[in-house]
Amino acid sequence: MAHVLNPILRTVLNQFDQPTQLGNIQPLATPALLGQWYDLFGAHPSERQRGQIIQLVVVYALLGDTHIRPEDPHDLAELLQQLRAGNRDQRLIYWRFLHEHKLPVHVLIDQLGLAKATFHRDMKDRLPLILDQAADCLLSILQPALQLERPPVPSHLYGRSQWLVEAQALLNHQRHLCIIGAPGAGKSASAATLAAAWQGPVFWLSLLPDLNDQIESCLPLIGAFLQHHGAYNLAQHLAIEGGKLNSNVALGLIRRDCASLPAAPLFCLDQGEVMLNQPQHSALHSFWRALAAIPNLHLLIIGNQVFSNDLPTITLEPLDSTALQAWFNASTTAQTDYPWEQFLALIAGNAHLMRIVMVLIQQEPSLAAICAMLEAHPSVGYLIERIITMLSPNAQQLLTVLTSFQQPVPRSLWPNKDLQQLEHFELLQTGYHDTLELWPLLRKHFWQQLSNEQRQPLHEHAAQVHAMLGQWTLAAEHAIAAGAYSQAIIWWFPQRHNEIRAGYFGRMLHMLQLIPLDQVPAREAQTLAIGQAELARFTGNYEQARAGLAAVSYTGSTSIRAYIRQLEGDLWEAQGYIEQAMASYERAITILDTNQQHQEAILHVKRGLMHLNHERDFAAAHQAAAKTHFIAALLSAEIADEEGNYALALQGYQTALDHACTLNDQALQARAHASLAIVHARHENPQAIEHFNVAIRYYHSIGNNVRVARNQSNLAYFLVAINQPHEAITLAEQAYSFFKQINSRFWVSLNAMTLADVHLSLDQYPTAEQYAQEVLHYEETGHVPFGVYILGRVATLKHEFDLAERYLQQSIQLSQAIQDRFIEARVWRDLTKLFHQTQRHTEAKQAIKQACDLYQQLGLSKELDRSLQLAQGYNLQLIAG
C-alpha cells in the first residue's frame, strides 16, 4: 500500500522548479504541516517562500537527513548536487524529477547508466518504494504530530476587571496561581486573558483522561515548546532517550532551558482536576508541583478543585447580574422584553449558557422567546439543536465532519465560505499554526447525537485526514473506531517511535486497548504484542507484555524473532532479573548467528560453484567448501550442546576446528577452541585449559580484546573449580581490570565473584569479603546469591555460626527466586558443613539430601559424588539414587 503522502510528493517533484506553485500545494504548504519550518523566512512567508521551504525539506527527505533543523544553514544547490552524485535511488529521483524530467527516455537511461530493462523495472517497482521512504523521512523532519496547543482566543470578559488585576498581581509576584471555580464560570477564558497579556512565551496544555495524562505525554510537548523558543536541552535529551526520561532529570533540563530564555515563560495547565484524587496520576501531580520550584518559570493551574494547598489559589465566582447585563448590551441590540431577574435566574451565571443565548438572539431577537425555550427545555442540547438549524446545509455538513476531530486541523482543508458562517456564530475556535476546531461544548453534544452508522464514515474520513497530516496515532484511533483494525496497525506500527517522541504515549496506550486481538490476523497480533512490549517500559506492565510476546515468539522472520527475544530480555532487565535477561539476549544472538551462518553457508556454496564452474579455480572452490563445512559443523555442535548431548557437541566443535585449521583462519579457530573449552569445563576436563589458552592467544592476535577478557573470565572460573587458585587470581584480575575500564557491570561482577571465591580458598577472608560486597554493590541479580554465599562461608570459617546461617539461608532464597539450582546446591552443601559443626545432624542430613537431589537433576556427576562423599564422611547414612 502506497504512503498517503506519495501522490503529494509526486506533485511536488513534478513541479519542483516552480516554487510559487509549490507554495500552494495542500496540505503540505500549510503551517500545520510545515510546523517550525513555516517561519524559516519570517512570520508570514509568501507563496514563493513557502515553495522554497518545501523544496528544502523534500530534498533533505530524499537524502534521508531527518536530523536537520530550520536554524541550520541550508544551500539548495549543494543539496541537489549531493542527490545527483548519490546512490542509485537518489540519482534515479534526481534525473527522473529534479533535473530535466522531460528528457527522452533513452537519454535518461544513459544518464542513469542503467540497462533499459532495469530502468523500466525501477520506474515500476523501485520508484514507489523510494517515494514511500522519502515520505516517511519528510514527516520525521517536519514532525507534524508535535502540535502545541494554543490558549483559547480571549473574548471580552465582563465583570472580571478587578478579578483580573488581582490574579495578574498574584501571578507576577508569587509566580504561581491556581484558578478554581464551578463549570461554566469562565475559568479557561479568564486564564486565556491572563496568558494573552503575558510578556513572554506561553505554554498551554489541557489535560484529557487516558490521552495525555502521563508525564511521558507532557514532556515532548514541553520540549518542543522550549525548542521553539531557542532552548534545546530537554528536546535533545528526549530525542536521544526515545521519549523516556526520568522526571527528575527532565525537571533539571527544564530548569536549564528556562534559565536561558530572555523572558520568563508561563506554563498553563487547564483541567488540572483530571490528575486529582487518582493514584495513577500522583507522579504527574508531583511533576507539575515541582515545576513551581523552577525560578524562571511562572505556573498557572486551572481546574474545579484546589490543586495544591501551598500554592496561591483564587476562586472565580459565576458572573453577577451587572456583568451579564453588560455582556448582553454589548453583544446585541435586541430589547429585553423579559424580566431581567428571571432571565438571570435561568442563566445562573453560566458563561456557556450565556454564549448560547448570544448566538440564538442573532436569529431570534426576542429574549422572551429564548427564555421560553430555556424554561421548556432546560438542557443545553435543545438549544444547540436550535443553533444548528440556523446554519446552511453546507455549513451543517461541515459541522458534522468537524465533530469527529478532537484536535485542531488546518483551516485550508475546508471550504472558506462554509467556515465563514460557523465563524460568524462563533462556533469555531482557532488553534496553533492556522488550525481550527469546533467549540468543544458543541462538538461533544453533536457527536453524542450521532448513531454508530452515522459515525463510521466520519471516522473513515478523519483517519485519512490525520494520516495525510502525519498524525499516525490519531489516524489509527479513527481507523479502529471504523473497524479497520489492520489499517490502523499498518499506519501506526512503523511510526510508533516518532509518535512516542511526539507525546502520544497516553493515546497509544488507549488505542491498543481498543483493538480486539481475536479479530486481527496473526501478523497484526504479533505486531501489537511488540508494540505493547515497547510501551511496557513506560507503563511497567512487564509481566503482561512478556505474556503477549510469548504467544508470538516463534513466528515471523528471523529478524523479528530475534527482536522479540531482545524485547523479552529488556523486560527481564527492567525488573532486575539479569540472568533471565542474559538468557533472552543469548537466544536472540543465537537466532541471528544461526541465520547468519545459514546465509553465509549459502553464499560460500554459491561462490564455490562460481570458482569451480566459471573460473576453474579449484583452490578457491576448496576454501569455500571448507568454510561451508565449518559453519555446518559449528551449527550442529551448538544444537547438540543446547540439547545436552555433550559427546556429540565435542565431536561437532572438533570437526569445526579441523575445518578452521584447514582454512588457516585464526578467528574461526578461536571460536571453535572457546566452544570446546566451555564443554570440557562443564565436565572438569583439564583439556579445557589448553583450549581456553589457544582461544585467548588467537583473540589477542586478531585484536578482539573483549573476547580475550571473556575467555580469561571463564578460564579463571574453571581454575577455581579444579583448585588452581593462584593461576585463577592472575587471569581474573586481568579480566576484572579490563571490564572495569569499559564499565561492563555484568562482567566486572562475574570476575568479582571469582576473585571472592579464590581468595576465600586461600584463607584471605578480608579480601574475599571485599569482593563479595562488590558483587552485592553491582546488584546483578544472577550474581547476588553467590555474593551472599561467600559472606556466609567467611562467617562459617570465623565460627560466627548464627550470622553464617542467616547468610546461607538468604542465599538459598535468592537462588530459588531466580531458579539457579547450581548455586542453590552449592549453598546446601556448605550449610551441611555448618550444621555438622554445630551438632545439628538431622538438619545436616536434610541439607545434604537437598544438594544431592539438585546435582542429580543437573546431571553433574562429579559434584554429586563429592556430596555423597561428604555425607559418608559425616556418617549421615544418606541414600541417593
Side-chain angles (χ1 to χ4, degrees), residues 767-793:
T767 309
E769 281 185 304
Q770 175 187 335
Y771 280 114
Q773 291 292 353
E774 186 168 8
V775 171
L776 300 183
H777 165 75
Y778 281 108
E779 295 183 345
E780 293 288 339
T781 306
H783 301 165
V784 168
F786 193 89
V788 177
Y789 159 67
I790 291 294
L791 295 177
R793 283 190 61 193

PDB file of all heavy atoms in Angstrom, residues 767-793:
ATOM      1  N   THR A 767      39.868  -9.924  51.971  1.00  0.00           N
ATOM      2  CA  THR A 767      39.801  -9.672  50.529  1.00  0.00           C
ATOM      3  C   THR A 767      38.580 -10.356  49.925  1.00  0.00           C
ATOM      4  O   THR A 767      37.908  -9.792  49.043  1.00  0.00           O
ATOM      5  CB  THR A 767      41.084 -10.183  49.845  1.00  0.00           C
ATOM      6  OG1 THR A 767      42.212  -9.654  50.521  1.00  0.00           O
ATOM      7  CG2 THR A 767      41.113  -9.756  48.388  1.00  0.00           C
ATOM      8  N   ALA A 768      38.300 -11.575  50.394  1.00  0.00           N
ATOM      9  CA  ALA A 768      37.119 -12.299  49.899  1.00  0.00           C
ATOM     10  C   ALA A 768      35.851 -11.518  50.212  1.00  0.00           C
ATOM     11  O   ALA A 768      34.956 -11.371  49.358  1.00  0.00           O
ATOM     12  CB  ALA A 768      37.054 -13.687  50.526  1.00  0.00           C
ATOM     13  N   GLU A 769      35.774 -10.990  51.463  1.00  0.00           N
ATOM     14  CA  GLU A 769      34.593 -10.198  51.839  1.00  0.00           C
ATOM     15  C   GLU A 769      34.487  -8.937  50.985  1.00  0.00           C
ATOM     16  O   GLU A 769      33.389  -8.525  50.582  1.00  0.00           O
ATOM     17  CB  GLU A 769      34.686  -9.809  53.317  1.00  0.00           C
ATOM     18  CG  GLU A 769      34.302 -10.944  54.260  1.00  0.00           C
ATOM     19  CD  GLU A 769      34.289 -10.479  55.700  1.00  0.00           C
ATOM     20  OE1 GLU A 769      35.327  -9.957  56.158  1.00  0.00           O
ATOM     21  OE2 GLU A 769      33.245 -10.634  56.354  1.00  0.00           O
ATOM     22  N   GLN A 770      35.622  -8.310  50.693  1.00  0.00           N
ATOM     23  CA  GLN A 770      35.620  -7.082  49.888  1.00  0.00           C
ATOM     24  C   GLN A 770      35.028  -7.331  48.506  1.00  0.00           C
ATOM     25  O   GLN A 770      34.180  -6.572  48.028  1.00  0.00           O
ATOM     26  CB  GLN A 770      37.058  -6.571  49.770  1.00  0.00           C
ATOM     27  CG  GLN A 770      37.220  -5.360  48.867  1.00  0.00           C
ATOM     28  CD  GLN A 770      38.686  -5.002  48.662  1.00  0.00           C
ATOM     29  OE1 GLN A 770      39.541  -5.325  49.491  1.00  0.00           O
ATOM     30  NE2 GLN A 770      38.963  -4.342  47.554  1.00  0.00           N
ATOM     31  N   TYR A 771      35.477  -8.425  47.862  1.00  0.00           N
ATOM     32  CA  TYR A 771      34.948  -8.724  46.530  1.00  0.00           C
ATOM     33  C   TYR A 771      33.476  -9.154  46.593  1.00  0.00           C
ATOM     34  O   TYR A 771      32.687  -8.844  45.691  1.00  0.00           O
ATOM     35  CB  TYR A 771      35.792  -9.804  45.855  1.00  0.00           C
ATOM     36  CG  TYR A 771      37.077  -9.267  45.241  1.00  0.00           C
ATOM     37  CD1 TYR A 771      38.326  -9.642  45.751  1.00  0.00           C
ATOM     38  CD2 TYR A 771      37.044  -8.389  44.178  1.00  0.00           C
ATOM     39  CE1 TYR A 771      39.506  -9.153  45.193  1.00  0.00           C
ATOM     40  CE2 TYR A 771      38.208  -7.886  43.615  1.00  0.00           C
ATOM     41  CZ  TYR A 771      39.433  -8.268  44.131  1.00  0.00           C
ATOM     42  OH  TYR A 771      40.587  -7.768  43.577  1.00  0.00           O
ATOM     43  N   ALA A 772      33.099  -9.879  47.663  1.00  0.00           N
ATOM     44  CA  ALA A 772      31.700 -10.287  47.808  1.00  0.00           C
ATOM     45  C   ALA A 772      30.797  -9.057  47.946  1.00  0.00           C
ATOM     46  O   ALA A 772      29.703  -9.000  47.360  1.00  0.00           O
ATOM     47  CB  ALA A 772      31.547 -11.205  49.016  1.00  0.00           C
ATOM     48  N   GLN A 773      31.256  -8.067  48.721  1.00  0.00           N
ATOM     49  CA  GLN A 773      30.476  -6.842  48.875  1.00  0.00           C
ATOM     50  C   GLN A 773      30.365  -6.096  47.535  1.00  0.00           C
ATOM     51  O   GLN A 773      29.343  -5.488  47.227  1.00  0.00           O
ATOM     52  CB  GLN A 773      31.121  -5.928  49.923  1.00  0.00           C
ATOM     53  CG  GLN A 773      31.039  -6.445  51.353  1.00  0.00           C
ATOM     54  CD  GLN A 773      29.617  -6.454  51.896  1.00  0.00           C
ATOM     55  OE1 GLN A 773      28.682  -5.956  51.274  1.00  0.00           O
ATOM     56  NE2 GLN A 773      29.457  -7.041  53.070  1.00  0.00           N
ATOM     57  N   GLU A 774      31.417  -6.166  46.717  1.00  0.00           N
ATOM     58  CA  GLU A 774      31.362  -5.527  45.405  1.00  0.00           C
ATOM     59  C   GLU A 774      30.341  -6.219  44.510  1.00  0.00           C
ATOM     60  O   GLU A 774      29.617  -5.564  43.749  1.00  0.00           O
ATOM     61  CB  GLU A 774      32.739  -5.533  44.751  1.00  0.00           C
ATOM     62  CG  GLU A 774      32.754  -4.735  43.454  1.00  0.00           C
ATOM     63  CD  GLU A 774      34.146  -4.479  42.924  1.00  0.00           C
ATOM     64  OE1 GLU A 774      35.118  -5.027  43.464  1.00  0.00           O
ATOM     65  OE2 GLU A 774      34.256  -3.726  41.937  1.00  0.00           O
ATOM     66  N   VAL A 775      30.257  -7.539  44.614  1.00  0.00           N
ATOM     67  CA  VAL A 775      29.227  -8.273  43.859  1.00  0.00           C
ATOM     68  C   VAL A 775      27.842  -7.764  44.250  1.00  0.00           C
ATOM     69  O   VAL A 775      26.987  -7.510  43.381  1.00  0.00           O
ATOM     70  CB  VAL A 775      29.351  -9.787  44.124  1.00  0.00           C
ATOM     71  CG1 VAL A 775      28.153 -10.526  43.514  1.00  0.00           C
ATOM     72  CG2 VAL A 775      30.647 -10.328  43.547  1.00  0.00           C
ATOM     73  N   LEU A 776      27.622  -7.601  45.550  1.00  0.00           N
ATOM     74  CA  LEU A 776      26.320  -7.105  46.010  1.00  0.00           C
ATOM     75  C   LEU A 776      26.091  -5.662  45.551  1.00  0.00           C
ATOM     76  O   LEU A 776      24.962  -5.273  45.244  1.00  0.00           O
ATOM     77  CB  LEU A 776      26.239  -7.180  47.533  1.00  0.00           C
ATOM     78  CG  LEU A 776      26.397  -8.585  48.144  1.00  0.00           C
ATOM     79  CD1 LEU A 776      26.227  -8.532  49.655  1.00  0.00           C
ATOM     80  CD2 LEU A 776      25.397  -9.551  47.548  1.00  0.00           C
ATOM     81  N   HIS A 777      27.162  -4.875  45.484  1.00  0.00           N
ATOM     82  CA  HIS A 777      27.048  -3.477  45.062  1.00  0.00           C
ATOM     83  C   HIS A 777      26.516  -3.364  43.635  1.00  0.00           C
ATOM     84  O   HIS A 777      25.694  -2.486  43.334  1.00  0.00           O
ATOM     85  CB  HIS A 777      28.415  -2.793  45.165  1.00  0.00           C
ATOM     86  CG  HIS A 777      28.486  -1.485  44.432  1.00  0.00           C
ATOM     87  ND1 HIS A 777      27.885  -0.329  44.916  1.00  0.00           N
ATOM     88  CD2 HIS A 777      29.083  -1.130  43.248  1.00  0.00           C
ATOM     89  CE1 HIS A 777      28.100   0.654  44.062  1.00  0.00           C
ATOM     90  NE2 HIS A 777      28.819   0.209  43.060  1.00  0.00           N
ATOM     91  N   TYR A 778      26.960  -4.255  42.750  1.00  0.00           N
ATOM     92  CA  TYR A 778      26.541  -4.159  41.348  1.00  0.00           C
ATOM     93  C   TYR A 778      25.117  -4.657  41.131  1.00  0.00           C
ATOM     94  O   TYR A 778      24.514  -4.408  40.083  1.00  0.00           O
ATOM     95  CB  TYR A 778      27.518  -4.926  40.449  1.00  0.00           C
ATOM     96  CG  TYR A 778      28.784  -4.149  40.180  1.00  0.00           C
ATOM     97  CD1 TYR A 778      29.993  -4.524  40.756  1.00  0.00           C
ATOM     98  CD2 TYR A 778      28.765  -3.026  39.371  1.00  0.00           C
ATOM     99  CE1 TYR A 778      31.157  -3.800  40.517  1.00  0.00           C
ATOM    100  CE2 TYR A 778      29.918  -2.290  39.127  1.00  0.00           C
ATOM    101  CZ  TYR A 778      31.109  -2.686  39.703  1.00  0.00           C
ATOM    102  OH  TYR A 778      32.237  -1.957  39.462  1.00  0.00           O
ATOM    103  N   GLU A 779      24.570  -5.406  42.084  1.00  0.00           N
ATOM    104  CA  GLU A 779      23.166  -5.827  42.060  1.00  0.00           C
ATOM    105  C   GLU A 779      22.789  -6.586  40.795  1.00  0.00           C
ATOM    106  O   GLU A 779      21.662  -6.479  40.304  1.00  0.00           O
ATOM    107  CB  GLU A 779      22.243  -4.605  42.226  1.00  0.00           C
ATOM    108  CG  GLU A 779      22.380  -3.919  43.567  1.00  0.00           C
ATOM    109  CD  GLU A 779      21.415  -2.758  43.740  1.00  0.00           C
ATOM    110  OE1 GLU A 779      20.843  -2.307  42.720  1.00  0.00           O
ATOM    111  OE2 GLU A 779      21.235  -2.309  44.864  1.00  0.00           O
ATOM    112  N   GLU A 780      23.736  -7.326  40.228  1.00  0.00           N
ATOM    113  CA  GLU A 780      23.396  -8.216  39.117  1.00  0.00           C
ATOM    114  C   GLU A 780      22.647  -9.413  39.705  1.00  0.00           C
ATOM    115  O   GLU A 780      23.209 -10.201  40.483  1.00  0.00           O
ATOM    116  CB  GLU A 780      24.662  -8.676  38.398  1.00  0.00           C
ATOM    117  CG  GLU A 780      25.396  -7.565  37.672  1.00  0.00           C
ATOM    118  CD  GLU A 780      24.654  -7.104  36.428  1.00  0.00           C
ATOM    119  OE1 GLU A 780      23.818  -7.888  35.925  1.00  0.00           O
ATOM    120  OE2 GLU A 780      24.879  -5.982  35.966  1.00  0.00           O
ATOM    121  N   THR A 781      21.385  -9.550  39.334  1.00  0.00           N
ATOM    122  CA  THR A 781      20.504 -10.491  40.012  1.00  0.00           C
ATOM    123  C   THR A 781      21.080 -11.906  40.059  1.00  0.00           C
ATOM    124  O   THR A 781      20.985 -12.593  41.078  1.00  0.00           O
ATOM    125  CB  THR A 781      19.134 -10.511  39.307  1.00  0.00           C
ATOM    126  OG1 THR A 781      18.640  -9.180  39.231  1.00  0.00           O
ATOM    127  CG2 THR A 781      18.155 -11.372  40.064  1.00  0.00           C
ATOM    128  N   GLY A 782      21.684 -12.349  38.971  1.00  0.00           N
ATOM    129  CA  GLY A 782      22.208 -13.710  38.929  1.00  0.00           C
ATOM    130  C   GLY A 782      23.442 -13.910  39.785  1.00  0.00           C
ATOM    131  O   GLY A 782      23.804 -15.047  40.099  1.00  0.00           O
ATOM    132  N   HIS A 783      24.112 -12.819  40.190  1.00  0.00           N
ATOM    133  CA  HIS A 783      25.342 -12.926  40.967  1.00  0.00           C
ATOM    134  C   HIS A 783      25.139 -12.687  42.453  1.00  0.00           C
ATOM    135  O   HIS A 783      25.970 -13.101  43.265  1.00  0.00           O
ATOM    136  CB  HIS A 783      26.378 -11.924  40.446  1.00  0.00           C
ATOM    137  CG  HIS A 783      26.727 -12.123  39.003  1.00  0.00           C
ATOM    138  ND1 HIS A 783      27.394 -11.174  38.258  1.00  0.00           N
ATOM    139  CD2 HIS A 783      26.491 -13.166  38.157  1.00  0.00           C
ATOM    140  CE1 HIS A 783      27.554 -11.626  37.029  1.00  0.00           C
ATOM    141  NE2 HIS A 783      27.006 -12.814  36.934  1.00  0.00           N
ATOM    142  N   VAL A 784      24.055 -12.014  42.821  1.00  0.00           N
ATOM    143  CA  VAL A 784      23.837 -11.658  44.233  1.00  0.00           C
ATOM    144  C   VAL A 784      23.813 -12.888  45.148  1.00  0.00           C
ATOM    145  O   VAL A 784      24.433 -12.862  46.223  1.00  0.00           O
ATOM    146  CB  VAL A 784      22.546 -10.825  44.373  1.00  0.00           C
ATOM    147  CG1 VAL A 784      22.147 -10.692  45.835  1.00  0.00           C
ATOM    148  CG2 VAL A 784      22.748  -9.448  43.760  1.00  0.00           C
ATOM    149  N   PRO A 785      23.125 -13.993  44.786  1.00  0.00           N
ATOM    150  CA  PRO A 785      23.141 -15.163  45.691  1.00  0.00           C
ATOM    151  C   PRO A 785      24.563 -15.642  45.989  1.00  0.00           C
ATOM    152  O   PRO A 785      24.852 -16.057  47.118  1.00  0.00           O
ATOM    153  CB  PRO A 785      22.347 -16.218  44.908  1.00  0.00           C
ATOM    154  CG  PRO A 785      21.488 -15.446  43.982  1.00  0.00           C
ATOM    155  CD  PRO A 785      22.273 -14.235  43.607  1.00  0.00           C
ATOM    156  N   PHE A 786      25.459 -15.591  44.994  1.00  0.00           N
ATOM    157  CA  PHE A 786      26.823 -16.049  45.210  1.00  0.00           C
ATOM    158  C   PHE A 786      27.566 -15.104  46.159  1.00  0.00           C
ATOM    159  O   PHE A 786      28.340 -15.539  47.019  1.00  0.00           O
ATOM    160  CB  PHE A 786      27.575 -16.145  43.876  1.00  0.00           C
ATOM    161  CG  PHE A 786      28.877 -16.891  43.964  1.00  0.00           C
ATOM    162  CD1 PHE A 786      28.926 -18.259  43.783  1.00  0.00           C
ATOM    163  CD2 PHE A 786      30.063 -16.220  44.250  1.00  0.00           C
ATOM    164  CE1 PHE A 786      30.126 -18.951  43.869  1.00  0.00           C
ATOM    165  CE2 PHE A 786      31.263 -16.896  44.338  1.00  0.00           C
ATOM    166  CZ  PHE A 786      31.299 -18.277  44.153  1.00  0.00           C
ATOM    167  N   GLY A 787      27.344 -13.773  46.004  1.00  0.00           N
ATOM    168  CA  GLY A 787      27.984 -12.828  46.912  1.00  0.00           C
ATOM    169  C   GLY A 787      27.567 -13.065  48.353  1.00  0.00           C
ATOM    170  O   GLY A 787      28.405 -13.050  49.273  1.00  0.00           O
ATOM    171  N   VAL A 788      26.265 -13.289  48.576  1.00  0.00           N
ATOM    172  CA  VAL A 788      25.777 -13.575  49.933  1.00  0.00           C
ATOM    173  C   VAL A 788      26.345 -14.897  50.432  1.00  0.00           C
ATOM    174  O   VAL A 788      26.705 -15.040  51.616  1.00  0.00           O
ATOM    175  CB  VAL A 788      24.234 -13.590  49.941  1.00  0.00           C
ATOM    176  CG1 VAL A 788      23.703 -13.959  51.323  1.00  0.00           C
ATOM    177  CG2 VAL A 788      23.684 -12.236  49.507  1.00  0.00           C
ATOM    178  N   TYR A 789      26.453 -15.880  49.531  1.00  0.00           N
ATOM    179  CA  TYR A 789      27.015 -17.191  49.889  1.00  0.00           C
ATOM    180  C   TYR A 789      28.460 -17.065  50.371  1.00  0.00           C
ATOM    181  O   TYR A 789      28.862 -17.681  51.368  1.00  0.00           O
ATOM    182  CB  TYR A 789      26.920 -18.107  48.662  1.00  0.00           C
ATOM    183  CG  TYR A 789      27.853 -19.294  48.664  1.00  0.00           C
ATOM    184  CD1 TYR A 789      27.709 -20.327  49.570  1.00  0.00           C
ATOM    185  CD2 TYR A 789      28.888 -19.376  47.732  1.00  0.00           C
ATOM    186  CE1 TYR A 789      28.574 -21.419  49.562  1.00  0.00           C
ATOM    187  CE2 TYR A 789      29.749 -20.452  47.708  1.00  0.00           C
ATOM    188  CZ  TYR A 789      29.588 -21.478  48.638  1.00  0.00           C
ATOM    189  OH  TYR A 789      30.444 -22.544  48.621  1.00  0.00           O
ATOM    190  N   ILE A 790      29.272 -16.251  49.705  1.00  0.00           N
ATOM    191  CA  ILE A 790      30.669 -16.051  50.122  1.00  0.00           C
ATOM    192  C   ILE A 790      30.723 -15.451  51.528  1.00  0.00           C
ATOM    193  O   ILE A 790      31.532 -15.864  52.378  1.00  0.00           O
ATOM    194  CB  ILE A 790      31.403 -15.130  49.122  1.00  0.00           C
ATOM    195  CG1 ILE A 790      31.587 -15.851  47.779  1.00  0.00           C
ATOM    196  CG2 ILE A 790      32.753 -14.697  49.676  1.00  0.00           C
ATOM    197  CD1 ILE A 790      32.504 -17.044  47.812  1.00  0.00           C
ATOM    198  N   LEU A 791      29.836 -14.467  51.786  1.00  0.00           N
ATOM    199  CA  LEU A 791      29.798 -13.882  53.132  1.00  0.00           C
ATOM    200  C   LEU A 791      29.435 -14.933  54.171  1.00  0.00           C
ATOM    201  O   LEU A 791      29.968 -14.938  55.292  1.00  0.00           O
ATOM    202  CB  LEU A 791      28.793 -12.725  53.167  1.00  0.00           C
ATOM    203  CG  LEU A 791      29.143 -11.508  52.306  1.00  0.00           C
ATOM    204  CD1 LEU A 791      28.029 -10.474  52.363  1.00  0.00           C
ATOM    205  CD2 LEU A 791      30.456 -10.882  52.747  1.00  0.00           C
ATOM    206  N   GLY A 792      28.540 -15.857  53.804  1.00  0.00           N
ATOM    207  CA  GLY A 792      28.186 -16.939  54.714  1.00  0.00           C
ATOM    208  C   GLY A 792      29.353 -17.876  54.974  1.00  0.00           C
ATOM    209  O   GLY A 792      29.575 -18.331  56.110  1.00  0.00           O
ATOM    210  N   ARG A 793      30.106 -18.185  53.935  1.00  0.00           N
ATOM    211  CA  ARG A 793      31.268 -19.072  54.106  1.00  0.00           C
ATOM    212  C   ARG A 793      32.324 -18.415  54.991  1.00  0.00           C
ATOM    213  O   ARG A 793      32.938 -19.065  55.841  1.00  0.00           O
ATOM    214  CB  ARG A 793      31.861 -19.403  52.741  1.00  0.00           C
ATOM    215  CG  ARG A 793      31.067 -20.438  51.947  1.00  0.00           C
ATOM    216  CD  ARG A 793      31.830 -20.892  50.722  1.00  0.00           C
ATOM    217  NE  ARG A 793      33.101 -21.528  51.074  1.00  0.00           N
ATOM    218  CZ  ARG A 793      34.075 -21.797  50.205  1.00  0.00           C
ATOM    219  NH1 ARG A 793      33.910 -21.464  48.928  1.00  0.00           N
ATOM    220  NH2 ARG A 793      35.193 -22.378  50.586  1.00  0.00           N
TER     221      ARG A 793
END
